[in-house]
């Protein structure tokens, strides 16, 4: 089982997402150095913190996460670094190892299960309603999701891409990430869209 440096964060990272990071803790400075020197590439895992904080250690962690690849690594002084990363495949932690000095885990890839056909027509109306409300709420400044032709063909990847354009809390985002396959992910995403619409309409009324 391969081991991977791990970076627990206060956000659930969806495949395909950009991840900017500012590194200032010595343990994560060491993680970046080790990642950039690794023959396997500058890769680390990201998991959502279940309880605790990003700084200081001792946090409780979820076991479903994502591999992140460092694309830009800039030193900004005093050992601090600014990273630009891209999220790649989904992983599942099979065993946490002792932090030495940063979190390390044995992981395995977790591709989507075959959960049956997905009807993307079911999400068109809810997404349209959401962005109609967001457009009014932001005065036309809400970033629009990409056109259908720009989305991935794979159903699971397409849903991850759409989820990046739905405002939601981290618990909902983690539910999207941890859904076993596209059919389950569609159900979770539709519920998140409904919640986002209700919240946006409440803000409009307020």
């Amino acid at each position: 089982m391969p081991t991977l440096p791990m970076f627990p964060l206060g956000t659930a990272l969806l495949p395909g997402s950009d991840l900017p990071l500012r590194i200032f803790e010595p343990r994560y400075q060491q993680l970046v150095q080790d990642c950039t020197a690794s023959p396997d590439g500058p890769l680390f895992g990201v998991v959502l913190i279940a309880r605790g904080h990003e700084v200081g250690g001792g946090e409780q962690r979820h076991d479903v996460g994502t591999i992140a690849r460092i694309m830009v690594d800039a030193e900004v002084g005093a050992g601090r670094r600014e990273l630009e990363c891209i999220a790649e495949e989904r992983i599942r932690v099979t065993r946490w190892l002792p932090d030495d000095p940063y979190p390390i885990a044995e992981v395995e890839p977790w591709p989507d299960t075959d959960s049956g056909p997905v009807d993307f027509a079911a999400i068109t109306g809810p997404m349209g309603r959401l962005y109609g409300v967001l457009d009014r709420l932001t005065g036309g400044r809400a970033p629009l999701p990409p056109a259908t032709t720009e989305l991935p063909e794979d159903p699971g990847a397409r849903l991850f891409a759409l989820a990046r354009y739905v405002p939601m809390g981290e618990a909902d985002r983690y539910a999207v990430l941890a859904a076993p396959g596209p059919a389950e992910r569609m159900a979770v995403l539709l519920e998140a869209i409904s919640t986002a619409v209700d919240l946006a309409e409440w803000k409009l009324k307020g």
Side-chain angles (χ1 to χ4, degrees):
M1 193 69 61
T3 60
L4 196 65
M6 303 296 292
F7 205 136
L9 291 174
T11 185
L13 183 64
L14 300 180
S17 299
D18 295 327
L19 177 66
L21 287 174
R22 290 186 175 182
I23 307 298
F24 56 89
E25 280 193 88
R27 58 178 178 154
Y28 290 122
Q29 293 172 0
Q30 185 64 52
L31 180 149
V32 172
Q33 291 179 23
D34 292 348
C35 285
T36 54
S38 171
D40 296 326
L43 305 174
F44 60 92
V46 174
V47 291
L48 175 65
I49 293 172
R51 187 186 300 273
H53 304 282
E54 292 182 359
V55 178
E59 70 283 336
Q60 296 179 20
R61 308 153 184 165
H62 286 286
D63 288 338
V64 177
T66 315
I67 289 180
R69 180 181 296 272
I70 300 171
M71 307 300 291
V72 177
D73 174 15
E75 187 171 355
V76 293
R80 294 173 298 153
R81 315 192 78 84
E82 290 188 354
L83 307 183
E84 295 291 338
C85 311
I86 186 74
E88 297 186 348
E89 65 182 305
R90 183 173 66 166
I91 54 173
R92 187 160 39 191
V93 173
T94 57
R95 186 164 73 100
W96 287 100
L97 304 177
D99 291 11
D100 187 23
Y102 47 77
I104 301 173
E106 293 180 349
V107 304
E108 63 183 7
W110 190 23
D112 279 343
T113 60
D114 183 6
S115 56
V118 176
D119 180 13
F120 277 91
I123 205 170
T124 303
M127 283 291 283
R129 183 182 175 195
L130 171 62
Y131 272 85
V133 178
L134 291 178
D135 192 62
R136 285 182 285 147
L137 186 64
T138 64
R141 295 190 300 273
L144 293 176
T148 302
T149 54
E150 299 173 352
L151 292 170
E153 288 292 330
D154 175 77
R158 177 174 288 210
L159 288 168
F160 279 138
L162 288 171
R164 298 199 295 271
Y165 289 86
V166 177
M168 66 180 84
E170 295 308 325
D172 288 336
R173 199 176 307 278
Y174 181 76
V176 170
L177 176 65
E184 296 89 349
R185 189 168 302 130
M186 173 69 85
V188 172
L189 186 53
L190 286 171
E191 183 64 29
I193 292 171
S194 177
T195 300
V197 169
D198 290 344
L199 180 59
E201 288 180 338
W202 177 79
K203 287 182 177 179
L204 275 174
K205 292 176 182 177

